[in-house]
Amino acid sequence: MRENVIDLIVISPNTDDEDWTFHSPQITGLVGGRSSLLQLRADLPEILRFADVPLPAQIRFHVEDVYDSDGTSYIIRQSQDGHRTERSATAQRLRAALTVAEQREQLLSSPRTRTGEVLFIAAVPSDTLHDISAQLHPSGDAAVVVCNVADELLWSFHLTNAEDLDAAARPLGDLGLSGGTTIAEVMRQRPVGSPAPALLAS
């Protein structure tokens, strides 16, 4: 039997008094919190049974850190998979770019999520657009995919599954892309400095 694939979005706390909270784009109404990431992982089978999720299921963990810059909230999301080191390096480069006024202004002028934040997803070249779109909230979401290029550059690409969040976005087919297109392929087609927001099927 083929396993269900569940993307679990885990939000890291900003203070010691806050819980690690979570939700999933695939499971409507699944929200909760635990005092630690370790406790969340330990309780996950029970959480999934309570939510009537058919098992077995493949769980893809994504951890978010939430920041604020001059009144603009932004999120950096990293998948907790075999590419954690690469994703962490991309997130580090992004945080460095956000300390430079001109780059911060450009990056934070990106389309926002339904709740008003700028969502950055740290990608690796082997990620597919389907992998990333599965992380977006089905009610409408927008994200900036970021990936390291060479030694110093940061490549970015806008994605949304809701036209009202990015009016400039065009369907994947119009851009010569599909859900199976890898980030490496998008990077070759759309080099640094060539904005091309993509509209995913909602």
Side-chain angles (χ1 to χ4, degrees):
M1 180 172 74
R2 187 180 177 197
E3 290 185 340
N4 295 321
V5 178
I6 305 296
D7 291 280
L8 198 69
I9 313 298
V10 182
I11 304 167
S12 63
N14 284 323
T15 69
D16 292 339
D17 297 328
E18 296 176 348
D19 283 344
W20 291 75
T21 58
F22 61 88
H23 65 276
S24 171
Q26 289 83 28
I27 310 172
T28 304
L30 177 67
V31 292
R34 291 295 186 274
S35 59
S36 69
L37 189 56
L38 187 65
Q39 188 64 54
L40 171 57
R41 287 183 181 273
D43 291 349
L44 191 57
E46 180 184 345
I47 292 167
L48 295 177
R49 278 195 297 273
F50 182 77
D52 291 324
V53 175
L55 299 175
Q58 177 190 348
I59 308 300
R60 298 190 296 202
F61 279 87
H62 313 275
V63 173
E64 293 185 344
D65 291 299
V66 182
Y67 302 89
D68 187 84
S69 176
D70 301 324
T72 299
S73 294
Y74 64 92
I75 296 165
I76 300 178
R77 179 184 295 171
Q78 300 176 62
S79 294
Q80 303 300 292
D81 58 10
H83 299 284
R84 281 193 297 268
T85 301
E86 294 169 76
R87 297 184 196 281
S88 179
T90 294
Q92 230 174 351
R93 190 172 294 182
L94 173 61
R95 282 190 286 267
L98 286 162
T99 65
V100 180
E102 184 179 342
Q103 294 182 53
R104 180 172 63 249
E105 182 179 354
Q106 180 181 1
L107 286 163
L108 296 184
S109 66
S110 300
R112 300 188 182 191
T113 67
R114 189 74 73 198
T115 50
E117 303 88 3
V118 178
L119 168 61
F120 296 100
I121 297 178
V124 296
S126 59
D127 288 339
T128 67
L129 294 181
H130 174 76
D131 294 333
I132 294 168
S133 68
Q135 301 178 37
L136 301 184
H137 198 285
S139 70
D141 214 345
V144 184
V145 180
V146 292
C147 193
N148 282 347
V149 180
D151 292 330
E152 297 181 2
L153 296 176
L154 189 69
W155 174 89
S156 65
F157 182 65
H158 295 174
L159 286 176
T160 185
N161 59 1
E163 291 180 84
D164 63 307
L165 293 177
D166 189 351
R170 295 163 54 200
L172 291 183
D174 289 1
L175 299 172
L177 307 173
S178 71
T181 302
T182 65
I183 293 303
E185 291 168 331
V186 181
M187 290 168 74
R188 284 194 291 271
Q189 182 190 17
R190 307 279 170 179
V192 174
S194 178
L199 176 65
L200 303 156
S202 57

